[in-house]
Every structure is written in C-alpha cells, then in structure tokens.
Amino acid sequence: NIRTPMNGIIGMIKIAADHLDDHKRVKDCLEKASIASLQLLATLNELLDISQIKSGIIDLQSDMLNLNELMMEVASVIYPRIQEKNLQLKIHPLQVQHENVFGDQMRLQQMFLNILGNSVKYTPPGGLLEISVLERESREYSCRSYDFIFSDNGIGMEESFIQHIFEPFSRAEDPEVSRTEGVGLGLSIAQNIARMMGGAISVKSIPGQGSQFTVTVILRLQNP
C-alpha cells in the first residue's frame, strides 16, 4: 500500500519538527523516514514496471554475463536481509556447461531478488533458502535453456492461491502475509520478464513446508 510508507514519512517528519532540540529523537525519525522512503520508491518502481510491461515498451538488454558471478552478486544483495532474519542461504554448484551468456543482467537480478525477497519475508527465523541452476538444450540456435531454482522451507502457500500468484496486486489472505510490506506486483513483473526471455516461472508449494520457484529463461551463448 502506497499510503503506508507515505504516512510514515509524513509522521516522522512532523515528530522531528516538533522535537528539534532532541537530537536522538530527530535522528531516529530521520532513519525511519529514510526506510519508509525506500519502501515507497520500490513500490513506485514496481508500478512503473508493470505499466511499461503492459504498454510493451520494455526493451531487454544483451549484456555479457557469467552465470556464477551473476548468482554471487544476487546473493550479496540479499544476504544482509538473510542475516538480519537469521536465515541460511545455500547456493548449490551450478550444473551448467556454459556459464558465459548474453542476457539482461538488471532484469535477471530483478526477477531473482523479487523471488528471494518473498522467501525471506515468508520463511521463519532459522529457515533455509537454496539456489540451484540447471542448463538444458534449447531449440533456438546457439542458445540454451536455463532453470534457476529457488527453494525455501517457509510458510508455503495453498494451491488455491498459487493459481493467482502471478496476478498483479495478488497477496494471500493470511495474517502472516498481511503484516509484510509490498503491494503484490513483484511476482507479476518477474513472470512477464521471464516470458519476454522466452521462458516462464513455475511454482510448487506445500503449506507449512515451503515453496520452490523455478525461473526458466532462454539465453544466448557467448561461445556456442
């Protein structure tokens, strides 16, 4: 909900303005306002992305990528949140023949971080997140199909919700979910990006046991 971080920012600014002589309180308010502003920026970026996707104006870039380096970068971005929640992250050795490919690095990271971000949100402290990457044949010349698999042992999802998980603004009707931030656009954006890359995202989940998201994309090889 956009109103939540916006109201937080307004409230913190007012409190700080009313207590200018209390430097500790002003500092605390500014830090909270900064966090809320980042949440608001993330929401606005998601709204912009979904608008661009619907308008068909997103162009994918063709960056030179090393898949092992890409996954290490993704892990380094999400790792502070994983540590903060006392979770474990296990990255399995890549089961690929070709690590060097062409692809849109920013969009791939965006997809992966959306999925990992959800895993962090919905996995209780002490839980485990796992990442695997598999390479398969592709019908497209000088390309391969890659499966990026993200698993967790979090709260899981009911089958009735999985059917709607990639719809914009979709959020499960669960007390644990309702307390977390977000407007339910991340997975919708990720699914659209995956389809633009010739693949899709599939999901398996068992309530109380965890979820597994598989991102399948077609990537062109640097050295076919």
Side-chain angles (χ1 to χ4, degrees):
N1 192 320
I2 294 177
R3 296 187 189 93
T4 302
M6 194 70 243
N7 288 335
I9 294 168
I10 294 170
M12 289 302 105
I13 291 174
K14 187 178 186 307
I15 293 172
D18 291 341
H19 299 83
L20 292 177
D21 294 333
D22 188 341
H23 297 296
K24 185 177 180 180
R25 191 163 188 176
V26 169
K27 184 175 183 291
D28 180 63
C29 287
L30 291 176
E31 288 176 349
K32 289 178 178 176
S34 177
I35 293 172
S37 66
L38 291 174
Q39 292 174 351
L40 179 60
L41 178 61
T43 299
L44 292 175
N45 281 336
E46 287 186 345
L47 290 170
L48 179 61
D49 276 342
I50 205 74
S51 175
Q52 290 178 329
I53 287 170
K54 286 184 176 180
S55 301
I57 59 175
I58 285 185
D59 292 322
L60 296 178
Q61 303 301 310
S62 184
D63 306 315
M64 296 181 69
L65 302 174
N66 177 277
L67 294 180
N68 188 61
E69 292 177 1
L70 173 66
M71 301 317 294
M72 291 301 105
E73 288 178 12
V74 169
S76 68
V77 172
I78 199 70
Y79 197 66
R81 294 176 61 186
I82 288 174
Q83 279 189 312
E84 183 181 4
K85 199 168 178 183
N86 192 30
L87 301 173
Q88 295 181 26
L89 175 63
K90 182 177 182 180
I91 303 178
H92 296 275
L94 273 60
Q95 298 183 45
V96 302
Q97 289 181 296
H98 305 86
E99 284 191 15
N100 297 312
V101 297
F102 291 100
D104 191 320
Q105 179 169 343
M106 185 187 76
R107 293 299 179 182
L108 285 168
Q109 287 183 338
Q110 181 181 11
M111 280 194 295
F112 300 159
L113 289 172
N114 270 327
I115 292 170
L116 284 170
N118 278 344
S119 292
V120 172
K121 285 182 194 177
Y122 305 131
T123 301
L128 174 66
L129 278 59
E130 299 182 73
I131 300 175
S132 303
V133 183
L134 309 176
E135 177 183 337
R136 296 182 287 109
E137 292 288 333
S138 170
R139 293 181 180 179
E140 296 191 33
Y141 177 71
S142 73
C143 295
R144 288 292 189 276
S145 176
Y146 291 89
D147 290 341
F148 298 86
I149 305 167
F150 304 88
S151 305
D152 66 64
N153 59 356
I155 64 174
M157 295 172 285
E158 297 286 349
E159 181 63 33
S160 58
F161 177 64
I162 293 176
Q163 298 173 9
H164 304 282
I165 193 171
F166 297 112
E167 296 174 3
F169 306 104
S170 180
R171 286 167 66 84
E173 294 180 1
D174 182 283
E176 183 70 23
V177 175
S178 63
R179 288 194 296 267
T180 61
E181 74 276 8
V183 293
L185 283 174
L187 290 179
S188 176
I189 293 169
Q191 181 69 285
N192 278 279
I193 293 172
R195 286 172 177 166
M196 291 172 68
M197 294 183 180
I201 303 175
S202 60
V203 58
K204 300 176 183 177
S205 188
I206 300 175
Q209 296 187 29
S211 303
Q212 182 182 89
F213 287 81
T214 300
V215 181
T216 301
V217 293
I218 305 298
L219 299 174
R220 186 161 57 91
L221 305 181
Q222 291 183 27
N223 302 296

